[in-house]
Amino acid sequence: MSAGTVTVSAAGLAESASPVLELTEVTKVYPGTPPVHALRDVSVRVQAGELVAILGPSGSGKTTLLHLAGTLDRATSGQVLVTGLDVARLSDRQLAGLRASSVGFVFQQFFLAEHETVLDNVADAMLYAGVSQATRRAIAAEALARVRLGHKLTARPTQLSGGERQRVAIARAVAGSPAIVLADEPTGNLDQHTGAAILDLLEELNRLGTTIVVVTHDQAVAGRMRREVRMLDGRIVSDAASQPAPSAAAAAAAASPVAPHPWDGEPR
Amino acid sequence: MIAISPQSRSAAARLRPADLARLAAVGLRTRKLRAALSALGIAIGVGAIVAVLGLSSSSAAGLNAEIAALGTNLLTVQAGQSFTGATAELPLAAPGMIARLPGVYEVQTTAQTSVNVYRSPVIPSVNTNALTVDASTLNLPAASGTSVAQGEYLNAATANEPDCVLGAAAAQLLGIDKIFPGERVWAGNTWLYVVGILKPDVLSPDVDSSVLVGYPFADKYLGLNGYPTTIYVKAVDSQVNRVYNLLAAQSNPENPSEVDVSQPSSALVAQADAKSAFNTLFLGLGAVALLVGAIGVANIMVISVLERRSEIGLRRALGATRAHIRIQFLSEAILLAVIGGAAGVLAGSLATAIYAHGRGWQTVIPAQAWAGGIAAALVIGAIAGLWPALRAARMSPTQALWTI
Ligand SMILES: Nc1ncnc2c1ncn2[C@@H]1O[C@H](COP(=O)(O)OP(=O)(O)OP(=O)(O)O)[C@@H](O)[C@H]1O
Ligand SMILES: Nc1ncnc2c1ncn2[C@@H]1O[C@H](COP(=O)(O)OP(=O)(O)OP(=O)(O)O)[C@@H](O)[C@H]1O
Ligand SMILES: [Mg+2]
Ligand SMILES: [Mg+2]
């Protein structure tokens, strides 16, 4: 079903001249007594088609960084460019428009609407993009098929397992084909096995062309990403390509002798 | 794959009206009982107001229909006060003069005697019940707006006899609801035999409380001086106003100012349109219920905004602007209030219809009652929802996404 849906974004990789996300000497200070310096002089760029892990201990500023990148908050100083647009120069309305069209979020807590069907939860991703409901649903069904939930369209989130819920949330994040998907601890509420399956899914979506930034404090999770940005105390302490350990995928597969790709086929 | 068209990737997010309508209903669909309870106050308020206005309009319509059936072309002429303050008398020639006016097709008169009427001679003479004997011309009921309920009216023969016809109120006061052969009442020093009872006379209450005898009998035995007390004039509909203006001068050319001319139906129309003090009371209670309802809606919306913080955060992350959040919660409050208002209009109309049907009135719900009820609910929803909606919109996305 994924065949021919998207041509792998060789174009995105080639366009290294204009990164999807570019932070330059960004600081974020939360006012208070004493003020909290959550980010100090952070500079990072993410090119189209990348799969980036942001790793660091609790309180190191990962979520803050993700919120700034997703235009949910504004930097105290420095420049944040999303799809080449300077966040500081955009109005609240324009930022909302940017989020609606170009940014997808995945949260640790899923944030699904329990009274709506899985299909409508995903369709709502494009609610503020001026797309008709019929089109939204068609796109949502396709996105759900991509996360192997095509058979659960009419289910309610309350009838899903934790892993399935996060897959719904991921489908919602990628449905509108955003320029970048920002995931904050997407496996934080899941057991190791389900978490590994979610990472497999993110990797697959990335192979299909989606630019993804994943925040985690789990070294094992970060180890599977192609690039690893390490944070400590509001600073980036290292930013390097990591060689995904083949053993990680193998270990995940080994942990599940019944189904090598846990989401494949029927519900477990 | 299906793709969103490039045009829709415009800088500013937008929300379709159909989607807004669906969003406004989210909170109500997911918490039905709570929504119903908070809409109840507004439903009661609007219902009370609609019912009060509906009932008073329906009763006015009922009375107006009754008046229309009786006709509005009855004019009455009575003696007014003379220049010196004493009660004037209508000239003996007045009925004849009036009958000569173009457009007048019926002239009937009554003349009051000083004779009181009792059920029997043993009743003490002070207990008059304020019933006196009046002399009447022979076609009075048709002119005054009534007809015979039982027996028959006075005719050329019975007008000379000690025979009488009772007005509806007089019959009731005397305790006579059926005419038995030989039924009679005591008129001071003579018996009067009851030959007929009239139906209630809406237009002429004077006739209602009269015991009517013929002029010839009254002249001979009751010492009537012959001057008419009240002249009942019927004019053709198109001439009523002209006749009305001419009646005083025609009745008493020398002293037109000593004549009182009136149109009984117009007094009744005014009475039908008069609002009772009860209306004011119930309207006040309705207003209080509306106020309580408004507070209920505001309360529920404040709670809703607090509870749905993460929903607000998610929507901001999905691209909702502050205005989208504001309009969503404002619409929800308005929808809640308008549903309450609509339920109130329905309940108030139903109550009016049932009561009006029971009274044989036409059901009339004035447009300003139901439209005003819905409009009031709308305004109340907007006012009650404004602050919670502003509060929801003010929340920063990151603050809304906090989970503890
Ligand atoms: N709204 C806020 N007001 C004040 N301080 C804040 C706020 N949000 C975050 N902080 C502080 O900023 C610092 C970075 O927080 P952040 O949430 O970015 O960390 P994190 O790396 O995501 O941690 P974790 O792994 O625990 O989620 C922390 O010290 C935190 O206390
Ligand atoms: N209330 C429900 N109604 C219908 N189906 C349900 C309900 N709860 C769970 N399911 C289905 O039952 C299957 C097992 O769900 P369960 O939550 O037990 O999985 P799990 O092993 O905990 O998975 P995960 O590791 O993802 O949390 C799933 O396919 C799920 O969709
Ligand atoms: Mg965090
Ligand atoms: Mg589970």
Side-chain angles (χ1 to χ4, degrees):
Chain A
M1 85 52 248
S2 59
T5 52
V6 164
T7 48
V8 175
S9 68
L13 292 171
E15 275 176 39
S16 51
S18 77
V20 178
L21 178 66
E22 185 169 17
L23 278 71
T24 314
E25 295 179 358
V26 168
T27 59
K28 177 68 184 177
V29 181
Y30 289 110
T33 44
V36 180
H37 292 260
L39 293 180
R40 306 165 197 256
D41 279 345
V42 169
S43 296
V44 66
R45 333 164 117 219
V46 177
Q47 305 289 348
E50 276 198 286
L51 176 59
V52 183
I54 297 182
L55 185 70
S58 188
S60 57
K62 307 182 296 294
T63 296
T64 303
L65 179 63
L66 213 65
H67 283 171
L68 293 185
T71 79
L72 291 173
D73 207 350
R74 290 178 192 267
T76 308
S77 71
Q79 194 181 43
V80 178
L81 299 180
V82 179
T83 65
L85 297 169
D86 188 348
V87 168
R89 291 171 185 276
L90 299 181
S91 69
D92 188 67
R93 237 171 84 81
Q94 288 169 318
L95 286 184
L98 185 61
R99 287 197 292 273
S101 65
S102 305
V103 185
F105 289 93
V106 178
F107 301 100
Q108 185 177 342
Q109 299 85 358
F110 320 139
F111 291 133
L112 300 175
E114 61 172 300
H115 293 282
E116 295 206 48
T117 62
V118 163
L119 182 66
D120 281 339
N121 263 284
V122 177
D124 273 358
M126 293 151 283
L127 186 60
Y128 303 96
V131 184
S132 76
Q133 192 177 36
T135 311
R136 290 203 304 267
R137 284 192 171 150
I139 296 174
E142 201 178 349
L144 280 162
R146 258 184 285 160
V147 301
R148 314 290 199 281
L149 278 177
H151 59 292
K152 294 269 184 187
L153 299 188
T154 57
R156 308 271 153 171
T158 46
Q159 298 167 331
L160 299 181
S161 73
E164 287 168 336
R165 287 179 200 180
Q166 194 59 298
R167 273 147 64 194
V168 173
I170 290 171
R172 183 178 61 196
V174 301
S177 317
I180 189 165
V181 170
L182 305 171
D184 194 356
E185 311 261 15
T187 61
N189 270 356
L190 303 175
D191 61 83
Q192 207 179 352
H193 175 90
T194 315
I198 290 297
L199 292 174
D200 287 343
L201 175 61
L202 290 177
E203 279 186 320
E204 184 185 325
L205 291 170
N206 173 250
R207 273 200 305 277
L208 293 173
T210 310
T211 311
I212 303 177
V213 176
V214 181
V215 157
T216 180
H217 55 239
D218 185 344
Q219 177 63 57
V221 170
R224 298 184 49 181
M225 306 291 149
R226 273 189 270 134
R227 178 178 163 197
E228 199 177 292
V229 175
R230 287 175 173 275
M231 294 191 66
L232 187 63
D233 228 359
R235 288 179 211 281
I236 292 182
V237 290
S238 83
D239 182 352
S242 64
Q243 196 54 52
S247 58
S256 170
V258 184
H261 289 288
W263 65 71
D264 260 347
E266 297 315 299
R268 288 156 287 150
Chain B
M1 109 180 235
I2 308 157
I4 300 171
S5 64
Q7 300 95 285
S8 66
R9 295 209 177 237
S10 56
R14 56 214 166 85
L15 181 62
R16 291 165 165 250
D19 290 327
L20 174 61
R22 196 170 58 85
L23 282 185
V26 164
L28 313 187
R29 272 194 298 122
T30 54
R31 294 178 176 81
K32 290 194 184 74
L33 180 62
R34 187 206 273 189
L37 288 176
S38 58
L40 196 59
I42 290 184
I44 291 172
V46 170
I49 290 172
V50 168
V52 168
L53 297 180
L55 281 178
S56 83
S57 297
S58 297
S59 85
L63 198 44
N64 280 324
E66 210 174 317
I67 293 164
L70 294 170
T72 55
N73 61 344
L74 170 64
L75 302 171
T76 60
V77 179
Q78 284 180 308
Q81 300 223 306
S82 73
F83 188 67
T84 58
T87 306
E89 277 181 337
L90 291 171
L92 278 171
M97 298 281 283
I98 292 169
R100 244 173 274 149
L101 275 176
V104 170
Y105 66 87
E106 182 86 86
V107 179
Q108 298 289 319
T109 69
T110 58
Q112 201 171 2
T113 70
S114 53
V115 176
N116 288 320
V117 178
Y118 308 89
R119 187 71 182 89
S120 76
V122 298
I123 306 254
S125 60
V126 288
N127 287 1
T128 61
N129 275 332
L131 291 177
T132 56
V133 177
D134 291 353
S136 159
T137 47
L138 302 182
N139 201 19
L140 179 69
S144 73
T146 183
S147 59
V148 175
Q150 285 181 55
E152 54 187 18
Y153 200 66
L154 301 166
N155 56 36
T158 53
N160 290 297
E161 304 293 323
D163 287 343
C164 71
V165 172
L166 306 178
Q172 205 182 2
L173 286 171
L174 290 167
I176 297 172
D177 55 4
K178 219 162 180 144
I179 305 171
F180 296 104
E183 184 78 79
R184 56 191 190 174
V185 292
W186 183 246
N189 53 13
T190 178
W191 287 103
L192 297 176
Y193 291 86
V194 179
V195 297
I197 298 176
L198 297 177
K199 289 181 181 164
D201 195 330
V202 179
L203 291 175
S204 314
D206 285 352
V207 171
D208 252 4
S209 56
S210 290
V211 174
L212 300 156
V213 297
Y215 268 94
F217 176 79
D219 280 340
K220 229 180 281 176
Y221 300 101
L222 303 178
L224 185 70
N225 54 18
Y227 291 101
T229 317
T230 308
I231 305 173
Y232 296 87
V233 179
K234 293 280 254 187
V236 295
D237 283 326
S238 59
Q239 302 285 335
V240 171
N241 288 338
R242 207 182 55 83
V243 170
Y244 182 94
N245 292 329
L246 296 174
L247 271 179
Q250 190 77 3
S251 311
N252 193 346
E254 280 151 39
N255 295 304
S257 63
E258 292 181 2
V259 175
D260 281 348
V261 177
S262 68
Q263 187 178 20
S265 60
S266 63
L268 281 177
V269 170
Q271 183 192 326
D273 292 339
K275 306 284 175 259
S276 80
F278 268 119
N279 285 4
T280 320
L281 177 68
F282 280 108
L283 288 178
L285 287 178
V288 170
L290 276 185
L291 182 67
V292 172
I295 294 169
V297 169
N299 181 32
I300 241 60
M301 291 311 297
V302 169
I303 293 173
S304 183
V305 167
L306 291 177
E307 277 179 356
R308 290 158 68 187
R309 208 181 58 183
S310 62
E311 178 193 328
I312 295 167
L314 174 72
R315 291 192 185 283
R316 295 303 304 277
L318 292 178
T321 61
R322 286 183 197 280
H324 289 149
I325 299 297
R326 193 164 52 229
I327 195 84
Q328 176 184 343
F329 283 93
L330 194 59
S331 308
E332 183 169 319
I334 291 174
L335 184 65
L336 186 61
V338 167
I339 287 173
V345 167
L346 271 178
S349 305
L350 198 66
T352 304
I354 289 172
Y355 189 80
H357 185 76
R359 301 293 298 263
W361 299 335
Q362 184 197 350
T363 304
V364 179
I365 312 288
Q368 60 266 49
W370 62 262
I374 302 265
L378 198 140
V379 170
I380 286 170
I383 293 174
L386 187 61
W387 189 73
L390 288 176
R391 199 179 143 132
R394 244 197 338 260
M395 234 184 269
S396 82
T398 50
Q399 185 190 347
L401 284 168
W402 278 341
T403 49
I404 296 154

